[in-house]
């Protein structure tokens, strides 16, 4: 069955960096792209960016450009999201989700979420 | 920008509920489809897809959920709310990058 398994919770100081991984299984890795979405406490869902699983091409939300890098390693079928220069308002649960590379496309499977806490 | 209303909704089990989502630009693509999806995030869980391309229920979603609308105005209707429907509902435009979500509508049971 399809699963997206994320790495565990992280705690970082302001200014530090964090990398969250997402390892899908149950389907061909290249057939679905990986997106990252976060939910901060008391807030709604915010799209962070995505990586084309096949080509490695990326696109990021303007709010995160310059601080986020999303990559994938096809040898281990895993996607990564690195967020740098962390601030307290980056405290959130970060989710990865798969989206079909063809049509129609939607987020049909999500990871379990990774809590990132930024605190001094 | 995706704007949802209401912010929250308290519903008696068995009663209907309706959530509105308005986009600042048309989500009707030249292929004839409206690129709006609906997600539900139940407490303590990851979001789950309910509806894609405006009105298509994903497999396994009960038929009490119905998506409608076109262009800039969309609605998610729940015909008879059940206890398991509690959570935060989000619309999301999938027409263009960056993908954007509505602010969410919290549904509670009275």
């Amino acid at each position: 069955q399809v699963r997206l398994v994320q790495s565990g919770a992280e705690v970082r100081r302001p200014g530090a960096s964090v990398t969250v991984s997402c390892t899908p299984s149950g389907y061909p890795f290249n057939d679905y792209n990986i997106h990252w979405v976060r939910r901060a406490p008391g807030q709604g869902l915010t799209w962070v960016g995505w990586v084309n699983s096949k080509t490695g091409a990326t696109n990021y939300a303007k709010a995160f450009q310059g601080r986020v890098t999303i990559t994938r390693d096809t040898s281990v079928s895993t996607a990564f999201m690195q967020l740098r220069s962390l601030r307290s308002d980056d405290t959130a649960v970060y989710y990865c989700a798969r989206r079909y590379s063809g049509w129609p496309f939607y987020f049909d499977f999500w990871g379990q979420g990774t809590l990132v806490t930024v605190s001094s | 920008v995706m704007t949802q209303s209401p912010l929250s909704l308290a519903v008696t089990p068995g009663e209907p509920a309706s959530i509105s989502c308005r986009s600042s630009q048309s989500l009707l693509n030249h292929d004839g489809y409206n690129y709006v999806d609906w997600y539900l995030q139940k407490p303590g869980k990851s979001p789950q897809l309910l509806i894609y391309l405006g009105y298509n229920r994903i497999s396994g979603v009960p038929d009490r959920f119905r998506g409608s609308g076109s262009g800039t105005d969309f609605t998610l209707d729940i015909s008879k709310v059940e206890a398991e429907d509690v959570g935060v509902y989000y619309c999301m435009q999938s027409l263009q990058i960056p993908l954007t979500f509505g602010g969410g509508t919290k549904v509670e049971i009275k």
Side-chain angles (χ1 to χ4, degrees):
Chain A
Q1 75 279 24
V2 174
R3 292 185 69 199
L4 281 70
V5 178
Q6 298 182 221
S7 49
E10 304 272 13
V11 180
R12 293 286 184 274
R13 302 284 194 206
S17 299
V18 69
T19 297
V20 181
S21 67
C22 172
T23 303
S25 60
Y27 69 91
F29 182 73
N30 284 353
D31 285 358
Y32 291 79
N33 301 317
I34 297 295
H35 291 244
W36 291 88
V37 174
R38 80 178 189 184
R39 186 175 182 191
Q43 305 291 315
L45 299 175
T46 301
W47 181 77
V48 176
W50 73 289
V51 62
N52 184 309
S53 297
K54 194 171 184 178
T55 68
T58 56
N59 205 299
Y60 306 123
K62 198 170 281 187
F64 300 96
Q65 278 176 2
R67 291 202 303 135
V68 70
T69 301
I70 298 174
T71 57
R72 96 284 187 239
D73 184 340
T74 55
S75 68
V76 292
S77 298
T78 296
F80 303 90
M81 182 203 66
Q82 181 191 58
L83 190 59
R84 301 177 294 278
S85 302
L86 289 166
R87 310 184 292 245
S88 57
D89 62 1
D90 289 318
T91 295
V93 178
Y94 290 78
Y95 298 96
C96 63
R98 78 169 194 174
R99 196 180 191 217
Y100 185 46
S101 59
W103 188 94
F105 40 75
Y106 38 70
F107 296 144
D108 59 348
F109 282 91
W110 296 66
Q112 83 276 20
T114 297
L115 174 61
V116 174
T117 303
V118 183
S119 173
S120 54
Chain B
V1 176
M2 304 288 282
T3 304
Q4 280 182 242
S5 62
L7 247 56
S8 65
L9 207 47
V11 189
T12 300
E15 291 299 303
S18 188
I19 299 169
S20 173
C21 177
R22 178 165 287 177
S23 172
S24 58
Q25 59 187 73
S26 177
L27 301 181
L28 177 60
N29 197 21
H30 57 78
D31 60 9
Y33 289 94
N34 286 282
Y35 281 71
V36 64
D37 306 327
W38 288 92
Y39 294 89
L40 163 61
Q41 186 167 28
K42 295 183 178 182
K45 301 288 188 183
S46 301
Q48 62 184 85
L49 175 68
L50 297 175
I51 303 282
Y52 66 96
L53 294 176
Y55 62 88
N56 296 278
R57 271 190 310 275
I58 198 72
S59 174
V61 172
D63 61 8
R64 63 178 181 274
F65 291 93
R66 179 175 171 269
S68 62
S70 184
T72 60
D73 291 290
F74 300 91
T75 302
L76 177 69
D77 291 302
I78 311 173
S79 58
K80 294 178 183 177
V81 172
E82 297 188 5
E84 65 181 25
D85 300 335
V86 298
V88 183
Y89 291 77
Y90 297 92
C91 59
M92 187 197 83
Q93 69 81 16
S94 57
L95 182 63
Q96 60 189 36
I97 297 290
L99 305 178
T100 47
F101 291 91
T105 296
K106 186 174 184 179
V107 172
E108 299 172 310
I109 296 293
K110 276 184 186 175

